[in-house]
Amino acid sequence: MEQTRVDVLVIGAGISGISAARHVLRDNPGASLVVLERRARVGGTWDLFRYPGIRSDSDMPTFGFGFRPWRDKRILADGAKIRQYVEDAADDSGVLGRVRFGRRAVSADFSHDTGRWTVEVDDENTGERESYSAGYLVGATGYYDYDHPYRPEFPGEADFRGTLVHPQHWPEDLDHTGQRVVVIGSGATAITLLPAMADAAAHVTMLQRSPTYVLALPEVDPLTSVLQKLRAPARLTHKVVRTRNIALQRGSYAFCRRYPRLARKVLLGLVRAQTGKGVDMRHFSPKYKPWDQRLCVVPGGDLFKVLKSGKASIATDHIDTFTADGIRLRSGEELKADIVVTATGLTVRLMGGMALTVDGEPVDVKDRVLYKAVLLEGVPNMSLVIGYTNASWTLKADLAADYTARLLAHMRRHGHDIATPVASDGDRSAFSVMGEALTSGYIARADEVMPRQGTRDPWRLWNNYYRDRALLQNSPLDDGPLRFEKAGAPRTAPTRAA
């Protein structure tokens, strides 16, 4: 089998992969780089999801790349525009031509003798197996399974005569016009679907076991509008608005965690102001504290508008069983439905399920910790991009990309072939990097997949942009826990510390 040899191999052409490739090429202009993408277009999540109303749940000035201004004054954006924005960024930065589509990475093995990764890849268009040799590997696939969403089995669902659909696999020909729709779930997807389907449907009901904290945002950012009217340069507008939004995100999160009772009172008060007295507040009053689960945002209060109009409603209850015509709840109420949407969440999976080995020895990611929230303990020459759970994903993806680019440039200047973070058992805790702060269902399920949380710097993941920026952009690259080696050199220390 002919092998393709590159300096850097990026797995995934979504937001994380395009950012990583762009930063690496910026700091290492002579590097050979290839991006492998299983889908037929760039965009990742924003190419996969096609359900009605699909949009960002973070503001676009921070969800967009730091290196490419988001020029629209609307705070949130629909999925198609985000995907196009990612493709334009890839094209303008010279990354798009380096993407090989229809490729699924099957396995990757690092050899200390050669200082390189051997990655086996399936071309899903032809069915042929390809091999790549890479000096450095970037895992930019996100952290969920693109093939299999989280889909619990419900009692009696085989008796249901209507249509069952999961948002991750939305049929292109599904017509909900005049249909009675029940959306099971209370997260960002369900809250998006409700107003998006309400106008055409006979009625839409969001069925939730427990409520979520919801915050309405303006559709248009006033500061962006003012700066655009003043004809401020796009990059200046982007920088000013992005800086403000990062501060607001961090400040509001810190406020909610420090003063949960006051934060709850404020959030519920804002909902009451939007809904009026016609909507039962128990549907918006979670039992948990603010930011124990991710806060959901709605543009222009669209969710509250359709509830007040009567086109949509919320039921807070548990499912007793599906019936032929809908869903019977534990309370005895029956929700009539022609279409049931199971917005029940994601299945967590890293690296697209690719098998990872070092010198032929399997790597169990859930037993490792992350170094500076980017490199995986004991795994040489690999970055693992995991975005924020309490802020815009891209803020962390950009920092990880910048750090990876700087590390590669440092290794080239100093003649290093291998860089490996080495931790001790005392550096890892029992819970995952996602399991300490948030309690969402997919977060809990991630405990079986995700790396462990560290007990101290540089192994502890803080989910704090300001702290991570200082750690990844300003701290020394050669700091002790990160070991540098020459390929094939006698090894004086184990890859993983005892």
Side-chain angles (χ1 to χ4, degrees):
M1 184 189 307
E2 185 177 349
Q3 189 174 65
T4 302
R5 187 179 178 90
V6 294
D7 295 321
V8 181
L9 188 65
V10 179
I11 312 295
I15 283 177
S16 301
I18 298 305
S19 180
R22 184 265 181 190
H23 281 83
V24 166
L25 293 175
R26 178 202 65 189
D27 289 358
N28 304 269
S32 56
L33 180 146
V34 166
V35 181
L36 301 180
E37 170 55 50
R38 188 177 178 186
R39 302 186 64 78
R41 302 189 301 178
V42 302
T45 295
W46 306 104
D47 185 55
L48 172 69
F49 285 99
R50 307 289 178 89
Y51 61 81
I54 172 69
R55 57 169 170 77
S56 64
D57 64 349
S58 298
D59 67 279
M60 287 307 301
T62 60
F63 193 70
F65 298 116
F67 58 84
R68 183 181 179 85
W70 176 258
R71 299 177 185 273
D72 198 315
K73 59 187 177 183
R74 281 171 291 185
I75 295 176
L76 305 181
D78 64 64
K81 288 187 177 180
I82 297 172
R83 198 213 67 80
Q84 189 60 55
Y85 167 82
V86 175
E87 182 171 297
D88 291 343
D91 194 13
D92 291 347
S93 58
V95 173
L96 188 58
R98 299 171 183 262
V99 182
R100 298 188 180 184
F101 295 102
R103 265 59 172 202
R104 182 174 71 90
V106 177
S107 64
D109 178 67
F110 184 83
S111 167
H112 280 90
D113 289 336
T114 63
R116 299 184 67 82
W117 287 95
T118 298
V119 183
E120 300 301 310
V121 176
D122 282 343
D123 184 337
E124 295 191 328
N125 295 318
T126 65
E128 296 179 354
R129 175 63 60 90
E130 299 175 342
S131 181
Y132 292 78
S133 172
Y136 199 94
L137 190 64
V138 180
T141 59
Y143 56 56
Y144 65 87
D145 190 332
Y146 273 41
D147 296 316
H148 306 102
Y150 178 67
R151 170 66 168 85
E153 293 278 336
F154 295 106
E157 65 177 74
D159 299 328
F160 180 55
R161 293 181 301 194
T163 302
L164 271 169
V165 59
H166 194 285
Q168 191 166 321
H169 298 307
W170 196 272
E172 291 185 7
D173 59 350
L174 181 64
D175 183 7
H176 64 275
T177 304
Q179 302 291 294
R180 298 165 298 178
V181 181
V182 173
V183 180
I184 302 174
S186 61
T189 301
I191 286 173
T192 298
L193 281 166
L194 206 67
M197 301 182 76
D199 282 342
H203 188 81
V204 183
T205 303
M206 185 171 80
L207 172 58
Q208 57 181 15
R209 287 184 302 178
S210 59
T212 299
Y213 287 106
V214 180
L215 177 66
L217 293 179
E219 288 188 79
V220 173
D221 179 48
L223 179 56
T224 302
S225 297
V226 169
L227 292 172
Q228 288 181 350
K229 287 179 180 178
L230 294 174
R231 297 185 179 181
R235 291 196 175 276
L236 176 62
T237 298
H238 179 67
K239 184 175 182 179
V240 170
V241 176
R242 182 182 174 90
T243 300
R244 180 207 58 181
N245 288 4
I246 291 171
L248 287 173
Q249 284 179 2
R250 188 63 208 169
S252 62
Y253 175 79
F255 172 78
C256 288
R257 302 308 286 176
R258 186 168 183 178
Y259 305 107
R261 290 184 180 179
L262 180 56
R264 176 184 174 88
K265 187 175 182 179
V266 170
L267 288 169
L268 296 186
L270 292 172
V271 170
R272 169 58 74 197
Q274 289 275 337
T275 61
K277 296 181 179 180
V279 176
D280 191 338
M281 282 300 293
R282 72 186 180 92
H283 300 311
F284 295 98
S285 303
K287 295 180 180 180
Y288 59 84
K289 299 175 184 178
W291 273 111
D292 278 354
Q293 296 184 23
R294 190 176 175 94
L295 192 70
C296 288
V297 295
V298 293
D302 59 1
L303 173 68
F304 307 124
K305 291 175 182 176
V306 296
L307 291 174
K308 287 195 293 183
S309 73
K311 295 178 180 179
S313 59
I314 299 178
T316 303
D317 205 335
H318 287 71
I319 294 173
D320 178 38
T321 184
F322 272 67
T323 66
D325 300 317
I327 299 173
R328 186 170 66 241
L329 307 179
R330 286 186 184 175
S331 63
E333 179 186 2
E334 184 166 355
L335 301 177
K336 299 294 184 180
D338 303 300
I339 299 172
V340 172
V341 182
T342 54
T344 47
L346 310 169
T347 299
V348 178
R349 183 171 73 168
L350 282 175
M351 298 291 288
M354 180 176 69
L356 199 65
T357 56
V358 174
D359 294 324
E361 293 294 322
V363 174
D364 193 346
V365 174
K366 70 179 177 60
D367 290 336
R368 309 297 177 105
V369 286
L370 288 173
Y371 169 79
K372 295 186 177 181
V374 178
L375 309 183
L376 191 62
E377 165 212 352
V379 179
N381 293 15
M382 189 185 83
S383 292
L384 187 61
V385 183
I386 300 174
Y388 289 127
T389 55
N390 63 349
S392 294
W393 173 280
T394 317
L395 291 176
K396 176 61 180 304
D398 277 352
L399 288 177
D402 181 74
Y403 176 81
T404 299
R406 291 177 55 237
L407 175 60
L408 285 166
H410 175 86
M411 292 173 66
R412 185 185 69 251
R413 286 195 305 269
H414 294 275
H416 301 309
D417 298 320
I418 302 171
T420 310
V422 181
S424 64
D425 288 336
D427 290 326
R428 70 181 64 81
S429 68
F431 47 85
S432 84
V433 293
M434 297 175 71
E436 182 184 22
L438 301 183
T439 60
S440 305
Y442 80 96
I443 297 292
R445 295 190 295 273
D447 190 69
E448 296 298 317
V449 177
M450 301 295 284
R452 299 301 91 187
Q453 173 66 285
T455 58
R456 58 180 177 175
D457 287 337
W459 307 102
R460 186 168 177 78
L461 188 147
W462 294 98
N463 275 316
N464 183 324
Y465 174 78
Y466 296 119
R467 191 163 188 155
D468 288 340
R469 186 174 63 181
L471 185 68
L472 293 171
Q473 291 187 338
N474 302 325
S475 62
L477 288 163
D478 194 348
D479 62 356
L482 188 60
R483 309 285 178 85
F484 293 98
E485 306 171 66
K486 292 289 291 183
R491 305 187 61 212
T492 57
T495 299
R496 185 176 181 185

